[in-house]
Amino acid sequence: MNLRWVLIATFFVTACTKEKEPDLVTTCVNWTDDVAPVFTEQCSKCHSVSSAAAQYDVTEYKTVLGANQVPPIVIAGSEESTLLRVLNPDSADAIHSGFKEVYDLVETWIVGCNAAYIQSVIHPSGIMNPGDEGFHGKLLSQHRWNFSLCENCHGEAAGESRQTPCTSCHTSGPTACETCHNDALYYSGAHRYHLSYENGVLDFEICNNCHHKPNSYSDAGHLFNEDGSVDWLPAEVNFGAIANFSPAADIRQGPAEYDFDSRQCSNVYCHGDGSQNSTALDASPLWLQIAEEKCNFCHAMPPESHAQDQCEACHQQVVGKDNIIINKSLHVDGIVQVGREGESGCTRCHGQSGSPAPPYDLAGHSLATFIGVGAHQSHTQALHRITAPIACNECHQEVTDLHSEGHIDTPLPAEVFINNAAVLATAQGAMPSWNRESNQCSDVYCHGGGALSDDSAFSVSRRPAWTTSGVTEMTCGFCHGFPPGDANHDPNFGFSDCVLCHTSVDEFGNTIVTGPPGSEVSEHINGVINVR
């Protein structure tokens, strides 16, 4: 055993009561005394927290090591370290070519002194390097997490001043979750993709979705077993409720499981496995195979029950434009948030205030100049007052719920006059059609189609523009002449003459609409010519 390990062993057996004799110290380049001052003076102008060129910060030991990268930027004892290659005068680019003295110092530090953090006769050079076998966390685990061995020198007894107390680095204390499970956990396997990591803070409250989360570091099932023996790695995976959640439409193949041999999850709700998403790309992911996150990894894009791949059209509480998640707390939470918050039924996605007809349309538009809005309200609310409200299925496929055939299982735009339950639109022999490019309907009974096509009056507008027609455009004379241009009507008839033959109008020629709100009826535009 070499001198360094003799000293380490001695330290863990006895208290560190006094400094070692100077003749035991072998001087070596270290971060604290030698490298950090040089980096601060010459490198931090470009590589610091505020201006980290190439996302590289040289103001802290752990960020210089680059342990979060594969391979690490600094590998103790290795001439292949990325930092040496960048600073080497023989391979440096124009920006780094003038740092020969810095390179010589860093080469000695990394290769000759194992990237030592401090000069110490007590601790090995890798005491602060998570990738080193001499890292203090690893040494502590080898001694059954006996914190009293460290407290002799690094504790904080009341009224006493200790050398470099643990809390100088671990502000929450040496036994807090984030002390051990911080950077090391964040950069291991796929932890970083599961844990919320904003402003450098890990959300440990969600750990119990996959693991037993102890109340104290010493609880059985964490570091120790029930009998007090050490519970060695790997950590047990015990999937919780969210991983085992089963949406109503899904067919679970079995409980959520993790295979330590293949390092693969299966039947986990969070990844869509076991559900009706057979075309998902990675529903049973490998823990160590980190890939770019994509929507179609967990569910098909779009899901097999959908035809619409613009998620924000229906899931605007969760997803924004370009399918960017805007509220992570509502994504993969066991609830499918459909439509706008505070709305229910059809109006969650389109329409408002109890009316499913836009505005708003699926894109959130409210102006009638947008094709998704257009004259919807003019029809469904009968704002023109020339008939009762027109039902949605006069123009669209009849929908009874979200998953009705022809609803979300077909792509946008919504189909018009296709396999619908129309009664009025097809009355009197009309064969309605819709041209999206011209933004017009044609041969619709309600607009003078079918048998009404014989009307020769010049005022008839049988192809109204969807995004300009509204209350003012829909008046008597637009759908049939005023009076109709046929052999049955005197061209000199006025408004008050209509009541002579038709029960659908009053003595002034106004359309009669009766019934409570939401159930109004009218004999005008009802598919039948009502004559006294």
Side-chain angles (χ1 to χ4, degrees), residues 398-409:
E398 185 171 16
V399 173
T400 57
D401 59 55
L402 181 65
H403 294 283
S404 290
E405 182 180 355
H407 192 208
I408 66 171
D409 59 348

Side-chain angles (χ1 to χ4, degrees), residues 272-325:
D273 196 18
S275 65
Q276 297 173 349
N277 284 292
S278 60
T279 56
L281 296 183
D282 198 16
S284 298
L286 293 172
W287 179 252
L288 298 179
Q289 185 176 317
I290 309 303
E292 180 184 358
E293 297 174 273
K294 295 182 179 179
C295 294
N296 58 351
F297 275 20
C298 302
H299 54 73
M301 188 62 183
E304 294 173 17
S305 61
H306 296 51
Q308 168 66 283
D309 62 1
Q310 298 172 1
C311 304
E312 73 275 11
C314 297
H315 306 289
Q316 52 268 66
Q317 296 180 55
V318 184
V319 187
K321 291 188 179 299
D322 300 322
N323 293 333
I324 302 299
I325 304 298

Side-chain angles (χ1 to χ4, degrees), residues 6-21:
V6 169
L7 292 170
I8 294 172
T10 302
F11 163 70
F12 278 115
V13 173
T14 62
C16 114
T17 56
K18 65 178 181 177
E19 295 184 3
K20 302 302 177 182
E21 297 298 327

Side-chain angles (χ1 to χ4, degrees), residues 31-148:
W31 164 261
T32 305
D33 300 324
D34 307 301
V35 180
V38 173
F39 276 13
T40 299
E41 180 181 351
Q42 299 192 44
C43 307
S44 62
K45 293 179 181 179
C46 295
H47 299 285
S48 64
V49 176
S50 59
S51 58
Q55 298 182 336
Y56 190 50
D57 174 19
V58 300
T59 59
E60 290 189 37
Y61 179 72
K62 65 178 181 178
T63 56
V64 167
L65 296 179
N68 61 318
Q69 301 193 28
V70 180
I73 296 175
V74 171
I75 303 175
S78 175
E79 295 181 352
E80 301 299 320
S81 294
T82 302
L83 184 57
L84 290 178
R85 176 177 53 78
V86 171
L87 293 175
N88 190 334
D90 296 333
S91 58
D93 58 21
I95 297 176
H96 299 95
S97 61
F99 293 91
K100 176 65 168 61
E101 292 183 0
V102 175
Y103 169 74
D104 291 339
L105 172 68
V106 172
E107 182 183 35
T108 301
W109 173 55
I110 295 176
V111 180
C113 298
N114 291 311
Y117 176 72
I118 57 173
Q119 175 66 34
S120 173
V121 296
I122 297 174
H123 296 304
S125 59
I127 191 69
M128 296 293 287
N129 184 351
D132 196 289
E133 288 302 313
F135 180 58
H136 63 284
K138 295 179 181 179
L139 294 177
L140 189 59
S141 69
Q142 293 169 13
H143 288 78
R144 297 174 54 85
W145 309 100
N146 186 354
F147 287 97
S148 64

Side-chain angles (χ1 to χ4, degrees), residues 375-376 378-380 390-399 406 413-426 432-434 441-442 444-447 466:
H376 274 109
S378 182
H379 287 72
T380 61
I390 305 297
C392 298
N393 60 13
E394 290 299 332
C395 301
H396 301 294
Q397 176 76 26
E398 185 171 16
V399 173
E415 297 85 357
V416 182
F417 303 131
I418 296 179
N419 189 32
N420 60 76
V423 174
L424 290 180
T426 59
S433 64
W434 159 252
C441 297
S442 61
V444 181
Y445 162 74
C446 317
H447 291 284
W466 174 251

Side-chain angles (χ1 to χ4, degrees), residues 354-357 376-385 387-390 520:
S355 172
H376 274 109
Q377 287 290 317
S378 182
H379 287 72
T380 61
Q381 299 297 308
L383 299 178
H384 38 62
R385 302 305 296 173
T387 187
I390 305 297
E520 298 96 331

Side-chain angles (χ1 to χ4, degrees), residues 121-460:
V121 296
I122 297 174
H123 296 304
S125 59
I127 191 69
M128 296 293 287
N129 184 351
D132 196 289
E133 288 302 313
F135 180 58
H136 63 284
K138 295 179 181 179
L139 294 177
L140 189 59
S141 69
Q142 293 169 13
H143 288 78
R144 297 174 54 85
W145 309 100
N146 186 354
F147 287 97
S148 64
L149 296 175
C150 304
E151 291 172 353
N152 289 314
C153 291
H154 299 287
E156 291 187 327
E160 297 184 24
S161 175
R162 300 289 186 175
Q163 295 182 3
T164 315
C166 296
T167 52
S168 63
C169 293
H170 307 301
T171 55
S172 299
T175 62
C177 295
E178 59 266 30
T179 297
C180 293
H181 301 292
N182 201 319
D183 289 344
L185 174 61
Y186 178 64
Y187 294 120
S188 66
H191 280 107
R192 65 180 302 174
Y193 291 92
H194 291 74
L195 293 174
S196 173
Y197 192 79
E198 298 177 1
N199 301 319
V201 178
L202 290 169
D203 182 5
F204 292 106
E205 292 304 313
I206 66 176
C207 295
N208 58 7
N209 286 308
C210 301
H211 303 290
H212 164 68
K213 183 177 180 296
N215 294 317
S216 169
Y217 83 97
S218 59
D219 284 356
H222 185 219
L223 300 176
F224 306 101
N225 296 308
E226 290 286 352
D227 60 4
S229 61
V230 175
D231 185 1
W232 299 108
L233 292 174
E236 295 81 3
V237 177
N238 302 303
F239 285 117
I242 191 67
N244 282 290
F245 179 75
S246 297
D250 291 348
I251 302 175
R252 175 168 288 282
Q253 303 300 314
E257 295 179 333
Y258 177 74
D259 188 302
F260 281 91
D261 293 330
S262 65
R263 298 187 179 182
Q264 190 172 26
C265 297
S266 61
N267 297 323
V268 176
Y269 157 73
C270 320
H271 291 283
D273 196 18
S275 65
Q276 297 173 349
N277 284 292
S278 60
T279 56
L281 296 183
D282 198 16
S284 298
L286 293 172
W287 179 252
L288 298 179
Q289 185 176 317
I290 309 303
E292 180 184 358
E293 297 174 273
K294 295 182 179 179
C295 294
N296 58 351
F297 275 20
C298 302
H299 54 73
M301 188 62 183
E304 294 173 17
S305 61
H306 296 51
Q308 168 66 283
D309 62 1
Q310 298 172 1
C311 304
E312 73 275 11
C314 297
H315 306 289
Q316 52 268 66
Q317 296 180 55
V318 184
V319 187
K321 291 188 179 299
D322 300 322
N323 293 333
I324 302 299
I325 304 298
I326 58 175
N327 191 335
K328 295 179 181 179
S329 66
L330 298 181
H331 192 224
V332 196
D333 65 343
I335 302 172
V336 180
Q337 286 83 10
V338 178
R340 298 184 299 274
E341 187 176 8
E343 295 286 349
S344 61
C346 297
T347 57
R348 289 183 298 178
C349 296
H350 45 72
Q352 59 180 323
S353 301
S355 172
Y360 296 95
D361 66 7
L362 292 176
H365 298 136
S366 60
L367 299 179
T369 50
F370 288 96
I371 196 169
V373 179
H376 274 109
Q377 287 290 317
S378 182
H379 287 72
T380 61
Q381 299 297 308
L383 299 178
H384 38 62
R385 302 305 296 173
I386 60 175
T387 187
I390 305 297
C392 298
N393 60 13
E394 290 299 332
C395 301
H396 301 294
Q397 176 76 26
E398 185 171 16
V399 173
T400 57
D401 59 55
L402 181 65
H403 294 283
S404 290
E405 182 180 355
H407 192 208
I408 66 171
D409 59 348
T410 58
L412 289 176
E415 297 85 357
V416 182
F417 303 131
I418 296 179
N419 189 32
N420 60 76
V423 174
L424 290 180
T426 59
Q428 299 290 316
M431 299 181 66
S433 64
W434 159 252
N435 188 314
R436 185 176 176 84
E437 292 184 3
S438 67
N439 194 27
Q440 290 177 312
C441 297
S442 61
D443 201 22
V444 181
Y445 162 74
C446 317
H447 291 284
L452 300 180
S453 299
D454 295 335
D455 191 337
S456 61
F458 71 90
S459 64
V460 175

